[in-house]
Amino acid sequence: MDMQTSLLDRLFSTGLLIDTGVEGLYGRSGAFEDVIARFERLIDAYGGADGAEAMRFPPGMNRAHFETSGYMKSFPQLAGTVHSFCGGELDHMSLLQCMEVGGDWMKDQKPTDIVLTPAACYPLYPTIAKRGRLPAKGGLYDLQSYCFRHEPSNDPARQQLFRMREYVCMGTQDHVTEFRQTWMDRGLEMMAKVGLDVTMDVANDPFFGRAGRMLANNQRDQNLKFELLIPVTSAAKPTACMSFNYHQDAFGAKWGLNLENGDVAHTACVGFGLERIALALFARHGLDIALWPAEVRKVLGYQD
Ligand code: ATP
Ligand code: ZN
Ligand code: MG
């Protein structure tokens, strides 16, 4: 049995994760959720004084905004769309007949105006663009959302529906790159506080296809993405539990985000993979939270 299967099996047998029969789609126990809630309070403690505007979007986004984002150019393999039955009574009868014989009932489902959110920050850009120019001090936003990515896997750290907590910064190049550096420093400090071994590395997104390889190389060469890696299922191949992305003025130009003086805004976002962080804690300190090191329990606010 490989390491991955065994951690997932142990998570199932302790009830921390609940098997749904689909890889990467799990229920979570109260204790698992509580770890995430407590880690989010730690995030709040670090970011709370920055004055970010908090917003919470549902896990589905406006399809028109998704189309504008260009996600299908870069990551068509990961996207999930929401379809519904839109027919009349006759269509309903043939739908039921089709299902009865195990036929392809999904083929008549029609697209809705909603697609599943691929990253917590996607609904933000059009929302802020609609407001007009950014304030002189730039923009800082606090987001959290379930995100969907079609990447079924038996690695418990690679889920299809998972939560991302994000801070997004909009402003000048200097402003947003300083924001990103601040969170890279904070990320390292926070993970050390909860007893996790971390490494920081330059990274790239999984851009689709042959043209995507060039985009990925370019992203790496320009240091546009960093990841904070923590062992979850393997010490040799640690898992990205945070990412730190500098978009230059790409999103600013795409969405029409402008500074007070009219210049196109630069943007950056930092994302915490909340399930991955919880899993890293369980992998490192064991599946019984009562037995976690006293220091770690204290930082997370558990009563002793
Ligand atoms: P990876 O390289 O492991 O696929 P990523 O580069 O796709 O990660 P991002 O797109 O930067 O990740 O997403 C932000 C954060 O969301 C990641 O740092 C990670 O912690 C988390 N995340 C990404 N994909 C998943 C997933 N499939 N399951 C759980 N968490 C994820
Ligand atoms: Zn983002
Ligand atoms: Mg990925």
Side-chain angles (χ1 to χ4, degrees), residues 45-77:
Y46 274 82
D50 299 346
E53 177 183 346
M55 279 184 246
R56 296 292 181 264
F57 292 95
M61 67 179 286
N62 182 329
R63 172 155 64 101
H65 293 161
F66 174 83
E67 287 164 2
T68 304
S69 78
Y71 196 80
M72 292 307 281
K73 270 190 211 146
S74 299
F75 314 110
Q77 76 280 20

Side-chain angles (χ1 to χ4, degrees), residues 199-210:
T199 50
M200 188 72 79
D201 203 0
V202 65
N204 63 266
D205 289 310
F207 294 102
F208 186 76
R210 209 174 318 150

Side-chain angles (χ1 to χ4, degrees), residues 107-119:
K107 70 179 192 311
D108 292 324
Q109 294 285 98
K110 294 279 184 291
T112 67
D113 288 333
I114 297 175
V115 300
L116 297 174
T117 306

Side-chain angles (χ1 to χ4, degrees), residues 119-122 125 143 164 166-168 245 247 251 268-271:
C121 62
Y122 271 61
Y125 305 105
L143 305 168
M164 212 185 276
E166 280 199 51
Y167 285 99
V168 181
N245 306 287
H247 316 124
F251 287 5
C269 67
V270 302

Side-chain angles (χ1 to χ4, degrees), residues 78 149 151 158 206:
L78 298 176
R149 293 185 185 178
E151 45 186 2
R158 188 165 298 286

Side-chain angles (χ1 to χ4, degrees), residues 164-271:
M164 212 185 276
R165 174 78 181 268
E166 280 199 51
Y167 285 99
V168 181
C169 183
M170 303 180 182
T172 62
Q173 167 162 10
D174 284 353
H175 179 183
V176 308
T177 54
E178 190 188 309
F179 154 86
R180 184 173 72 151
Q181 187 57 53
T182 298
W183 275 106
M184 288 170 70
D185 298 340
R186 287 175 177 173
L188 289 168
E189 194 181 303
M190 293 168 72
M191 300 308 176
K193 277 201 166 160
V194 293
L196 297 174
D197 300 324
V198 298
T199 50
M200 188 72 79
D201 203 0
V202 65
N204 63 266
D205 289 310
F207 294 102
F208 186 76
R210 209 174 318 150
R213 178 128 359 137
M214 271 165 51
L215 293 172
N217 288 337
N218 179 53
Q219 189 183 29
R220 270 181 181 271
D221 292 345
Q222 297 193 263
N223 285 346
L224 298 182
K225 184 181 184 86
F226 287 93
E227 284 176 343
L228 195 153
L229 304 159
I230 308 177
V232 178
T233 50
S234 147
K237 270 199 193 168
T239 300
C241 292
M242 281 189 77
S243 68
F244 310 86
N245 306 287
Y246 172 40
H247 316 124
Q248 300 170 301
D249 63 359
F251 287 5
K254 176 174 313 236
W255 293 108
L257 296 163
N258 295 99
L259 305 180
E260 209 188 23
N261 66 8
D263 287 356
V264 177
H266 285 234
T267 61
C269 67
V270 302

